[in-house]
């Protein structure tokens, strides 16, 4: 009897062990995802702004936002030893409207790839004049006699954007930290100059300035912010 019972028990044990090994582990449930809208505040190289998020599914959401920041700056061309030194007062306006699509390749984390368009209203206005009277050999000219210079730098109004970031507003908690890094292609700036009196020949220097500012056609974007989901 024992000779028969032992092989039977051994076969049953192997079958049970095989079923245990072959049985797949239960899949972890996905983190909570809530469809709806979210709002976000942001600050970065494109200024201070607001975003509105609309969820599509776990993989995609859409973003519409605006950023703005203006500041004044003082530029001085040349050195104090030059025959003429121009002081420029500049006003830099950073104004953009973004229409973006976020793609989340992973369902459990908020890593995202982003592409879309920027309505680019960035602009630089400047005006200036010599910082002092100009002396040339035995001649001397006052600042008023030399004249003044003013101009504007504008960029392409529509610029494609590409980047990546972190932060899924519709995953888990309602309040989320997020960040983005990328760039938009705004093309080289278009320079317009207006000069008076002795500085009038400088008006034809616009193309030279445009060539020197070509690196600005790729505008870097680094943004940090907070988003809050409106749906519970």
């Amino acid at each position: 009897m024992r000779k028969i019972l032992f092989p039977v028990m051994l076969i049953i044990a192997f079958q049970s062990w095989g079923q245990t090994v072959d049985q797949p582990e239960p899949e972890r449930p996905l983190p909570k995802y809530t469809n709806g809208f979210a709002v976000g505040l942001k600050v970065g190289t494109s200024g201070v702004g607001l975003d509105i998020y609309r969820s599509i599914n776990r993989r995609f959401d859409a973003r519409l936002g605006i950023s703005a920041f203006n500041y004044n700056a003082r530029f001085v061309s040349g050195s104090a030893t030059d025959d003429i030194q121009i002081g420029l007062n500049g006003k830099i306006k950073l104004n953009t409207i973004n229409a973006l699509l976020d793609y989340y390749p992973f369902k459990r984390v908020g890593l995202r790839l982003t592409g879309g368009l920027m309505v680019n209203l960035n602009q630089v206005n400047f005006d200036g004049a010599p910082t002092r009277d100009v002396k040339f050999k035995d001649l001397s000219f006052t600042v008023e006699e030399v004249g003044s210079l003013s101009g504007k730098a504008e960029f392409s109004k529509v610029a494609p954007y590409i980047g990546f970031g972190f932060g899924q507003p519709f995953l888990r908690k309602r309040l989320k930290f997020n960040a983005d890094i990328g760039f938009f292609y705004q093309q080289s700036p278009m320079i317009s100059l207006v000069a008076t009196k002795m500085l009038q020949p400088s008006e034809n220097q616009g193309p030279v300035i445009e060539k020197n500012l070509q690196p600005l056609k790729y505008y870097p974007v680094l943004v940090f912010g907070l988003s809050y989901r409106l749906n519970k």
Side-chain angles (χ1 to χ4, degrees):
M1 184 68 178
R2 291 181 180 179
K3 291 181 179 181
I4 298 174
L5 187 60
F6 179 75
V8 172
M9 294 178 62
L10 194 60
I11 293 171
I12 294 173
F14 271 109
Q15 287 179 342
S16 300
W17 178 79
Q19 291 174 356
T20 303
V21 172
D22 294 338
Q23 185 177 2
E25 293 184 4
E27 186 178 354
R28 288 186 303 156
L30 291 173
K32 181 183 177 183
Y33 173 83
T34 305
N35 194 32
F37 289 90
V39 295
L41 296 175
K42 58 185 179 181
V43 59
T45 56
S46 54
V48 179
L50 173 71
D51 274 330
I52 298 176
Y53 296 78
R54 176 65 172 103
S55 62
I56 300 173
N57 53 44
R58 281 185 179 269
R59 296 288 193 185
F60 292 95
D61 65 46
R63 261 193 285 170
L64 185 65
I66 186 170
S67 298
F69 188 70
N70 299 337
Y71 63 93
N72 298 324
R74 171 77 174 175
F75 308 95
V76 178
S77 66
S79 64
T81 58
D82 291 344
D83 293 333
I84 183 170
Q85 185 182 48
I86 304 295
L88 294 172
N89 298 309
K91 186 172 185 180
I92 300 173
K93 299 179 180 180
L94 300 178
N95 297 286
T96 54
I97 301 171
N98 59 267
L100 305 174
L101 183 67
D102 296 319
Y103 169 66
Y104 300 89
F106 308 107
K107 293 183 178 181
R108 299 182 183 277
V109 294
L111 180 67
R112 64 193 182 197
L113 305 176
T114 303
L117 294 175
M118 296 281 194
V119 178
N120 179 25
L121 304 177
N122 290 346
Q123 189 180 103
V124 180
N125 296 284
F126 55 88
D127 61 81
T131 58
R132 61 181 184 276
D133 293 346
V134 177
K135 293 183 179 181
F136 183 72
K137 295 183 178 181
D138 297 331
L139 301 176
S140 180
F141 303 93
T142 65
V143 171
E144 290 75 17
E145 290 173 325
V146 175
S148 62
L149 180 70
S150 63
K152 180 169 59 175
E154 296 180 292
F155 302 86
S156 175
K157 292 295 187 290
V158 178
Y161 172 86
I162 187 170
F164 66 94
F166 189 86
Q168 171 42 301
F170 306 101
L171 205 62
R172 299 186 180 92
K173 299 179 181 179
R174 298 177 72 181
L175 182 65
K176 302 294 287 291
F177 170 80
N178 54 74
D180 285 282
I181 183 169
F183 68 89
F184 60 85
Y185 180 69
Q186 60 181 355
Q187 301 186 24
S188 300
M190 295 163 283
I191 306 294
S192 58
L193 295 175
V194 177
T196 63
K197 300 179 181 177
M198 296 176 64
L199 292 178
Q200 195 166 8
S202 300
E203 287 186 349
N204 61 7
Q205 296 300 305
V208 177
I209 299 174
E210 290 175 2
K211 185 176 180 179
N212 293 333
L213 296 179
Q214 277 187 353
L216 291 179
K217 61 185 177 182
Y218 298 102
Y219 189 91
V221 174
L222 178 61
V223 176
F224 300 98
L226 289 172
S227 64
Y228 183 76
R229 189 178 68 245
L230 300 180
N231 307 72
K232 294 184 178 180

